Amino acid sequence: MNDVSLDNKLVYLDGLRGLAAFAVVISHYMQVFYPAALSGNPQQAHSQWDVGYGQTPLNLFYNGQFAVCLFFVLSGYVLSVRFFKRQLDPEAFLQSLQSSAVRRYLRLAVPAAASVGLVYLGLMTHAFHLKDIWEATGTDMKKDYYALDQHLYTVIKAAVFDPFFRFESHPYNPVLWTMSYELLGSFLIFGFIALFGRAKRRWIVYVVLSLAFIQTYFVAFLWGMLLADLLRGRWIRRTRSTLLVLAAGIYLGSAPYIPLKGTMYEPIAATTALFNGWIQLDLDSRLLARTAGAAMILFALQRLKLLQLLLAWRPFAYLGKVSFSLYLVHFTVLTTFSAYMFSKAMAHFGYNIAYAITFAASMPPLFILSHFYMKHIDQGAIKLARSVERKMTAPSAMRRRAETDDSTLSG
């Protein structure tokens, strides 16, 4: 099957990543304005359907935890696929691996740090209004931005160090909790490929590491890499079988935030309980289901040309292009502009109309900000990382050439 590509890039994967980023956006808007859809608590409901649709596969469209699992599976796949597809000589293989590893921190750190700077700007201009709508929305997200430590050292540390080396929550921009997994997960991939990427029996290492990391998000990176490794072959070419895998992935990936017992997802909890008894672990059934669902959906996508074409459609491709920026800035827009708009709209309209106005008014500035963030910060980070990587690796390249010249002269 010929992959839909543009400039040798798998555009449909960008489309999938873009949809996942937008699902995170919807998730946080739901968490603030329709919390019952996530918590299952009827006392937080603002409509008669809030609790019900949160317990069906419809929650896939705003299941932020599933979207994060999909991000991590995609990262594992994208970071490793070129090493499995291309037949490089050992020196070129290690050089390419070194290049990817050197660039990774800066590529993630610059956009993440800038997002903290955006929060700091909001604090200086008193732009946060989340506290104004707590009572009206009934949200559990009671975050007081003005109680944050605003000392410059603390802010800088929260921008360049904490997101990557602390697994705790990040008060300035809560979405940065994924950055430590992205960075360390990347090095898990690079280390695996360097040590076992060409070993014939590397499947044994996949099994051992899957058991070691199965209680963490790191298993998502591992399974994404496993997909890149396996999909070089011709696994499941029949459309019917692939559609079954896709349906199973949607079911597992849409495991809701609430306890699974008493819902259509109860078989997941029961199966996990049996598995826990067998291997003597305490696996999180929802995390395991969402990660497996993400891997299944990516697997099916590699086999469904029509779905590839759909996700490579220009609007989805653009959504993928701005996905990282959208992910980093949306929470700040939500707690500033959107919270302010809702507090004003509630004075003139009913709850649901006020939310509809708020959401419609929030999307244009969010995407405009994401677009310029992508052009000037995200792409700037990529250029900076490449520049630093060239400077760091140039001496070693020159040294290798000198050693080659010396061996030629001595010969």
Side-chain angles (χ1 to χ4, degrees), residues 79-86 93 96-97 100 190 193:
L79 289 173
S80 62
V81 66
R82 68 182 183 275
F83 294 105
F84 291 123
K85 279 190 173 181
R86 293 164 56 188
F93 176 81
S96 179
L97 195 62
S100 298
F190 299 145
I193 293 172

Side-chain angles (χ1 to χ4, degrees), residues 155-168:
V155 174
I156 292 173
K157 181 172 176 288
V160 300
F161 180 84
D162 291 351
F164 301 97
F165 304 105
R166 291 181 61 194
F167 287 95
E168 301 171 19

Side-chain angles (χ1 to χ4, degrees), residues 63-133:
N63 193 319
Q65 292 293 322
F66 163 73
V68 166
C69 291
L70 189 54
F71 284 149
F72 293 161
V73 171
L74 276 168
S75 290
Y77 181 88
V78 171
L79 289 173
S80 62
V81 66
R82 68 182 183 275
F83 294 105
F84 291 123
K85 279 190 173 181
R86 293 164 56 188
Q87 295 297 323
L88 300 174
D89 62 82
E91 184 177 358
F93 176 81
L94 291 176
Q95 187 175 356
S96 179
L97 195 62
Q98 179 190 27
S99 174
S100 298
V102 167
R103 294 197 306 264
R104 192 60 177 163
Y105 172 74
L106 281 177
R107 192 269 172 274
L108 294 171
V110 173
S115 76
V116 174
L118 189 64
V119 173
Y120 187 70
L121 177 63
L123 289 171
M124 294 299 99
T125 57
H126 299 280
F128 289 97
H129 296 277
L130 179 61
K131 196 172 182 179
D132 300 341
I133 62 173

Side-chain angles (χ1 to χ4, degrees), residues 6-217:
L6 179 65
D7 295 330
N8 296 322
K9 191 175 182 181
L10 299 177
V11 180
Y12 60 86
L13 295 184
D14 272 351
L16 183 61
R17 184 184 293 108
L19 288 176
F22 195 61
V24 174
V25 174
I26 301 298
S27 172
H28 285 134
Y29 273 82
M30 296 292 284
Q31 188 177 359
V32 170
F33 295 105
Y34 291 95
L38 277 70
S39 68
N41 182 1
Q43 295 180 349
Q44 294 177 301
H46 295 286
S47 77
Q48 59 181 324
W49 302 288
D50 285 5
V51 175
Y53 61 70
Q55 301 176 15
T56 72
L58 288 175
N59 84 79
L60 192 73
F61 295 105
Y62 63 87
N63 193 319
Q65 292 293 322
F66 163 73
V68 166
C69 291
L70 189 54
F71 284 149
F72 293 161
V73 171
L74 276 168
S75 290
Y77 181 88
V78 171
L79 289 173
S80 62
V81 66
R82 68 182 183 275
F83 294 105
F84 291 123
K85 279 190 173 181
R86 293 164 56 188
Q87 295 297 323
L88 300 174
D89 62 82
E91 184 177 358
F93 176 81
L94 291 176
Q95 187 175 356
S96 179
L97 195 62
Q98 179 190 27
S99 174
S100 298
V102 167
R103 294 197 306 264
R104 192 60 177 163
Y105 172 74
L106 281 177
R107 192 269 172 274
L108 294 171
V110 173
S115 76
V116 174
L118 189 64
V119 173
Y120 187 70
L121 177 63
L123 289 171
M124 294 299 99
T125 57
H126 299 280
F128 289 97
H129 296 277
L130 179 61
K131 196 172 182 179
D132 300 341
I133 62 173
W134 284 353
E135 186 175 350
T137 63
T139 181
D140 295 322
M141 191 187 293
K142 291 183 169 55
K143 181 175 179 59
D144 185 0
Y145 278 90
Y146 297 108
L148 293 174
D149 185 347
Q150 297 181 30
H151 288 92
L152 193 57
Y153 169 79
T154 305
V155 174
I156 292 173
K157 181 172 176 288
V160 300
F161 180 84
D162 291 351
F164 301 97
F165 304 105
R166 291 181 61 194
F167 287 95
E168 301 171 19
S169 61
H170 299 281
Y172 295 89
N173 188 1
V175 302
L176 293 182
W177 72 269
T178 61
M179 292 299 102
S180 54
Y181 287 101
E182 281 286 356
L183 182 66
L184 298 178
S186 301
F187 283 96
L188 170 65
I189 298 298
F190 299 145
F192 182 100
I193 293 172
L195 294 172
F196 309 108
R198 297 191 171 188
K200 291 184 178 180
R201 296 186 179 181
R202 58 183 175 272
W203 63 268
I204 299 174
V205 186
Y206 279 120
V207 171
V208 171
L209 290 182
S210 290
L211 291 174
F213 292 119
I214 200 166
Q215 293 175 288
T216 74
Y217 284 104

